[in-house]
Amino acid sequence: MLQSALSRYSGIVAANTCWELIRQGAQILDVRSPAEFAQGHLSQAVNVPLNQMDTWIKQQQNQQQPFVLYCAAGIRAQMGCDILRANGFGCAVNGGSLQDLLYSQPAA
């Protein structure tokens, strides 16, 4: 069900939708640089800088794993989604910016 929901999205997805996908098991990827990541990130995020995505992809076993990607504005996240899809990962959505996701993060 999660994969069918993800297949409907293209471009930046509303933050509340991203949080629902994350709640359902999507992994969060922060595609900013390590320096940007160190300045602040979502606690659940894995830092995979866009320029290292090709190497990271080769280490992944499950192409069905859903992902929500974010960056500073959404541009690099979209590029990351495009790279994932080009490599057979069909379940990737652009979460936009870190700030948007932080602003709409549900209460714990």
Side-chain angles (χ1 to χ4, degrees):
M1 181 169 138
L2 178 58
Q3 291 176 353
S4 63
L6 285 169
S7 67
R8 294 188 305 239
Y9 300 114
S10 172
I12 296 176
V13 175
N16 61 336
T17 302
C18 290
W19 284 112
E20 180 60 24
L21 295 170
I22 293 164
R23 188 188 66 72
Q24 293 179 25
Q27 183 177 2
I28 308 170
L29 300 182
D30 182 328
V31 297
R32 299 175 303 149
S33 71
E36 290 172 295
F37 186 79
Q39 291 177 356
H41 59 273
L42 296 177
S43 61
Q44 313 94 314
V46 174
N47 186 217
V48 182
L50 188 61
N51 65 353
Q52 297 174 17
M53 176 117 358
D54 288 331
T55 302
W56 180 84
I57 285 172
K58 293 174 186 168
Q59 300 168 359
Q60 302 312 301
Q61 301 289 322
N62 182 5
Q63 289 186 323
Q64 300 306 312
Q65 169 67 46
F67 297 101
V68 173
L69 285 70
Y70 74 86
C71 60
I75 297 168
R76 288 176 284 177
Q78 185 60 53
M79 294 168 81
C81 287
D82 294 343
I83 291 168
L84 284 168
R85 288 186 191 116
N87 284 277
F89 292 81
C91 302
V93 297
N94 181 351
S97 74
L98 170 61
Q99 292 305 317
D100 289 343
L101 289 171
L102 285 171
Y103 181 76
S104 65
Q105 187 171 11

